[in-house]
Amino acid sequence: MPDKVRIAIDAMGGDHGASVILPGAEISLVRHPDIEYVVFGNSAVVEPVLAGLPRLKAASRFVHTEVAIRMDDKPSQALRYGRWKSSMWLALDAVKKGDADVVVSAGNTGALMAMARFNLKMMEGIERPAIAALWPTLKGESIVLDVGASIGADENHLINLAMMGSAMARVLFDIDKPTVGLLNIGVEEVKGLEQVREAGRILREQPTPHFEYHGFVEGNDIGKGTVDVVVTEGFAGNIALKTAEGTARQFGQYLKSAMSRTFAARLGYLLARQAFQTMREKMDPQRANGGVFLGLNGVVIKSHGGANAMGFAAAIDLGYDMVRYELLAKIGQSMARDLPASTGTERVASGAAS
Amino acid sequence: MPDKVRIAIDAMGGDHGASVILPGAEISLVRHPDIEYVVFGNSAVVEPVLAGLPRLKAASRFVHTEVAIRMDDKPSQALRYGRWKSSMWLALDAVKKGDADVVVSAGNTGALMAMARFNLKMMEGIERPAIAALWPTLKGESIVLDVGASIGADENHLINLAMMGSAMARVLFDIDKPTVGLLNIGVEEVKGLEQVREAGRILREQPTPHFEYHGFVEGNDIGKGTVDVVVTEGFAGNIALKTAEGTARQFGQYLKSAMSRTFAARLGYLLARQAFQTMREKMDPQRANGGVFLGLNGVVIKSHGGANAMGFAAAIDLGYDMVRYELLAKIGQSMARDLPASTGTERVASGAAS
């Protein structure tokens, strides 16, 4: 474990760019003084902001880049004009070259994933990447993956997701054996996808020293916090994540309009505003901001494009924890020891080291 | 359209059985005095409850049945012991024989679907059934289907879902051309399932006189009410539905605990309790209770097993509207006129009449 955690920042991504990203980086630096940043971006944009943040500036090395990836370009377009030279590419490249331990970007998700795959390559034994999300639950937080890196999953990929997700839970939640559930549907007639059932059978029958297989869970179990790690393929996972975000926003709107309708309600709101604030913080997606790209030879954190400085700081904090508590090494342990016979490929721990 | 709406009730289903179902039927009868019921169930259970509800009793014909389907049996088991003689089967059979226009059951979903397919058979031109759910949104309500009748969908099934869902929207929302969206995921890199894209292409290119194709929608669009009808295959649809239920419950819990934490918050709660009540009603799943089974030669409404009397009444109301405003005929119109060339099968309106 290095003395310093070296974080590469793509300062050009997100809806607000450097004006939110750099203040976010400073917030995280105050919490973790052992961070060293490498900041990639256009000097005309970045340097004025850095000049106003002397503490951040002192802990950062700045690298000027001419090209920035646009938020709505397709991955193929982004690769065409941004490979080798964009702030996003060079931030990833810093991890590839060993100049940084983790990269954090609020940029275009598809482009970031495409560049990460292209540059960092997949871990040995893993064929497809995944995006893991932190999900607030009634018991605290759970990890849900895949929330949209790829569509569909056979039983081997689902088992890989279980191994990677549980490694992330060990890093984040400080538990030895996180519980893992496979997301399925409860209607008896259909009994769920064949691949999900097959993955369930393998996970029940084979030893999993680094996590405890709980069984199937349904959509409503995610918010309950029934398990630490919810495993699903990316199409259903992305729809679940976005649907929950939509429902939370809907509830917030209902509450807002209900609390402003009458004088008594407005007065009640004033009296209870501290309680509302606490609740809002609990539901605030900024608090648990950041998807983790898993399966790559390097740690990549994707912040929401619309995150504010606090949100971007949360994404950096997540990246910091992933490095400090050695996510990649823990995934490597799982790959080497959990379910060694689950696929035809021989898996070795060294293949997982970045 | 008949003078009376004849509703077959399976009085033995659900977590609470006849003691909730029959009071629910009476509530709906008060709202719709043109209902006639046929009630199926065990006389030892049903008759004492009916005796206490004279108004309902006067509008009902009661049929004694020996066998009741258990809530947790598999469809195959239920068919084995319940075919020809259970309250569930005979309620469906009343629709099949033309003795009733719609059946409402709070029983075992898988068993109800299996018996409905077996007894009523699929509509001509439709190979697989669907379950449509009413979803409360910021704009009112939308229809989401399929929420779990079958897993996976090719482009033809997705188009059938669009036709059936839009026919249901025309019945319920009193609009000529409901908007229809295909649920997809927004990560550019993966661009969504091939079948979803292909269905989108067909819906864009071909005329759809009975609905307006909006395009792709994402999970967070459901709660926004972006479209009247959200079309998805049953695995993702079921996960979206259950995830939203879980998130709503989670929000309710946060609110409850936040509002009881301090004296000021408790006082605020008292002042605002009318506002909270309004909000709770908006989020209450009982208000929009009832999944509609689509694609069968008959109208089948599934109430939540845990519904209370008000919830069961909502499910009956839904069935009432489906009959009164001629759901099956409207589906038949769509099948005959929308997208006639979308599959190889010749579709005729008469094939859809029950």
Side-chain angles (χ1 to χ4, degrees):
Chain A
M1 187 162 51
D3 283 346
K4 292 279 186 176
V5 173
R6 299 162 309 155
I7 299 179
I9 300 283
D10 168 14
M12 304 305 283
D15 302 342
H16 315 293
S19 65
V20 149
I21 289 168
L22 295 177
E26 182 156 274
I27 293 169
S28 193
L29 176 65
V30 170
R31 294 198 276 245
H32 306 292
D34 55 337
I35 290 178
E36 262 176 17
Y37 288 112
V38 202
V39 177
F40 296 86
N42 190 296
S43 59
V45 176
V46 172
E47 288 194 329
V49 186
L50 259 189
L53 300 164
R55 180 162 183 171
L56 177 66
K57 195 173 176 181
S60 302
R61 184 162 65 85
F62 171 62
V63 180
H64 169 72
T65 53
E66 282 293 333
V67 178
I69 302 299
R70 289 181 294 266
M71 289 304 275
D72 43 7
D73 280 337
K74 289 186 181 166
S76 53
Q77 290 177 295
L79 271 174
R80 237 181 342 260
Y81 69 77
R83 209 187 312 172
W84 321 126
K85 54 190 178 214
S86 63
S87 58
M88 185 184 277
W89 177 275
L90 290 167
L92 287 160
D93 212 40
V95 170
K96 164 78 170 253
K97 290 183 174 148
D99 295 337
D101 302 307
V102 51
V103 52
V104 184
S105 173
N108 180 327
T109 307
L112 184 64
M113 180 56 91
M115 287 190 182
R117 286 187 75 159
F118 196 93
N119 196 347
L120 300 175
K121 307 280 187 307
M122 301 304 299
M123 282 176 130
E124 204 176 316
I126 296 183
E127 277 163 31
R128 305 164 71 195
I131 304 177
L134 270 176
W135 193 296
T137 74
L138 286 175
K139 293 190 188 159
E141 279 177 340
S142 297
I143 289 162
V144 180
L145 76 167
D146 176 24
V147 295
S150 64
I151 281 179
D154 63 13
E155 54 272 25
N156 288 331
H157 186 53
L158 290 169
I159 290 167
N160 281 345
L161 291 174
M163 292 194 282
M164 294 192 290
S166 58
M168 184 171 152
R170 287 161 64 208
V171 166
L172 272 190
F173 304 150
D174 195 26
I175 32 182
D176 266 0
K177 283 192 93 173
T179 54
V180 173
L182 288 170
L183 193 60
N184 201 348
I185 76 176
V187 177
E188 272 295 340
E189 189 215 12
V190 285
K191 292 175 204 147
L193 290 166
E194 189 50 53
Q195 308 89 290
V196 177
R197 278 191 285 165
E198 181 59 14
R201 189 190 61 72
I202 295 170
L203 289 174
R204 258 194 326 275
E205 290 175 5
Q206 301 218 25
T208 55
H210 291 104
F211 61 90
E212 187 192 321
Y213 175 60
H214 167 93
F216 296 142
V217 294
E218 294 191 56
N220 53 331
D221 286 303
I222 309 177
K224 274 188 207 163
T226 304
V227 289
D228 299 312
V229 181
V230 176
V231 168
T232 181
E233 60 80 35
F235 189 80
N238 185 274
I239 284 171
L241 181 71
K242 294 252 171 85
T243 300
E245 285 173 2
T247 306
R249 203 169 311 127
Q250 197 180 345
F251 205 107
Q253 284 281 345
Y254 286 156
L255 187 61
K256 200 172 153 186
S257 79
M259 296 314 285
S260 59
R261 201 164 292 140
T262 63
F263 176 73
R266 282 196 297 272
L267 188 61
Y269 178 79
L270 285 177
L271 280 163
R273 69 175 179 273
Q274 186 55 48
F276 282 118
Q277 186 56 33
T278 308
M279 191 186 70
R280 239 195 308 269
E281 278 165 15
K282 264 200 173 148
M283 298 293 289
D284 183 6
Q286 306 273 6
R287 262 185 73 246
N289 181 32
V292 179
F293 289 6
L294 294 173
L296 299 158
N297 288 313
V299 183
V300 180
I301 308 293
K302 168 67 176 75
S303 161
H304 258 293
N308 59 20
M310 289 299 288
F312 196 79
I316 294 177
D317 291 347
L318 187 60
Y320 175 93
D321 284 347
M322 292 298 142
V323 173
R324 248 306 159 240
Y325 304 105
E326 302 183 301
L327 173 71
L328 293 184
K330 288 202 169 73
I331 293 179
Q333 285 169 13
S334 278
M335 299 291 291
R337 285 195 236 154
D338 284 346
L339 301 171
S342 74
T343 76
T345 323
E346 188 69 47
R347 281 165 179 163
V348 288
S350 65
S354 69
Chain B
M1 187 163 52
D3 284 346
K4 293 279 188 176
V5 173
R6 300 162 308 156
I7 298 179
I9 299 283
D10 168 14
M12 305 304 282
D15 302 341
H16 316 293
S19 64
V20 149
I21 289 167
L22 296 176
E26 182 155 275
I27 292 168
S28 192
L29 177 64
V30 171
R31 294 198 275 246
H32 306 292
D34 55 336
I35 290 177
E36 264 176 18
Y37 289 112
V38 203
V39 177
F40 296 86
N42 191 296
S43 59
V45 176
V46 172
E47 287 192 329
V49 186
L50 258 189
L53 300 164
R55 179 163 184 169
L56 177 68
K57 195 173 178 183
S60 302
R61 184 163 66 84
F62 171 64
V63 180
H64 168 74
T65 53
E66 282 291 335
V67 177
I69 302 300
R70 289 180 293 266
M71 289 304 276
D72 44 7
D73 280 337
K74 289 187 180 166
S76 54
Q77 291 176 297
L79 271 173
R80 236 180 345 259
Y81 70 76
R83 208 187 314 174
W84 322 125
K85 53 189 181 220
S86 62
S87 58
M88 185 183 278
W89 178 275
L90 290 167
L92 288 160
D93 213 39
V95 170
K96 163 78 170 248
K97 289 181 175 149
D99 295 338
D101 303 306
V102 51
V103 52
V104 184
S105 173
N108 180 326
T109 307
L112 184 64
M113 181 55 92
M115 288 190 179
R117 287 188 74 157
F118 196 93
N119 197 347
L120 300 175
K121 306 280 188 303
M122 299 306 296
M123 282 176 131
E124 205 177 314
I126 296 183
E127 278 165 29
R128 305 165 70 194
I131 304 177
L134 271 175
W135 193 297
T137 73
L138 285 175
K139 293 190 186 159
E141 278 177 342
S142 298
I143 290 163
V144 180
L145 76 167
D146 173 26
V147 295
S150 64
I151 281 179
D154 62 12
E155 54 272 25
N156 288 330
H157 186 53
L158 290 170
I159 289 165
N160 281 343
L161 292 173
M163 292 194 281
M164 296 193 289
S166 58
M168 184 172 152
R170 287 161 65 208
V171 166
L172 274 190
F173 305 150
D174 194 26
I175 30 180
D176 268 359
K177 284 192 91 173
T179 54
V180 173
L182 288 171
L183 193 60
N184 202 346
I185 75 175
V187 178
E188 272 295 337
E189 190 214 13
V190 285
K191 292 177 206 145
L193 290 166
E194 189 51 52
Q195 307 90 290
V196 177
R197 279 190 284 168
E198 180 59 13
R201 190 190 60 75
I202 296 170
L203 290 173
R204 256 193 326 274
E205 290 174 6
Q206 302 219 26
T208 56
H210 291 105
F211 60 90
E212 188 192 320
Y213 175 59
H214 167 92
F216 297 141
V217 293
E218 294 191 55
N220 53 332
D221 286 303
I222 310 177
K224 275 188 206 164
T226 305
V227 289
D228 299 313
V229 181
V230 176
V231 167
T232 180
E233 60 80 34
F235 188 81
N238 185 274
I239 283 171
L241 181 72
K242 296 252 170 83
T243 301
E245 285 173 4
T247 306
R249 203 169 311 124
Q250 196 181 345
F251 206 106
Q253 285 280 347
Y254 286 156
L255 186 62
K256 202 172 152 184
S257 79
M259 296 313 287
S260 59
R261 200 161 295 139
T262 63
F263 177 73
R266 281 196 297 273
L267 187 60
Y269 178 79
L270 286 178
L271 280 164
R273 70 176 179 275
Q274 186 56 48
F276 283 120
Q277 187 55 32
T278 308
M279 191 186 70
R280 241 195 307 269
E281 278 166 16
K282 267 203 173 145
M283 298 294 289
D284 184 5
Q286 305 274 6
R287 262 184 76 243
N289 181 32
V292 180
F293 289 7
L294 293 173
L296 300 157
N297 288 312
V299 183
V300 180
I301 308 292
K302 167 66 175 73
S303 161
H304 258 292
N308 60 20
M310 288 300 288
F312 197 77
I316 295 177
D317 291 347
L318 187 60
Y320 175 92
D321 284 347
M322 293 295 144
V323 173
R324 248 309 160 237
Y325 304 105
E326 301 184 300
L327 173 70
L328 293 185
K330 287 203 170 73
I331 293 179
Q333 285 170 12
S334 278
M335 300 290 290
R337 285 196 237 153
D338 284 346
L339 302 171
S342 75
T343 75
T345 323
E346 187 70 47
R347 281 166 179 161
V348 287
S350 65
S354 70

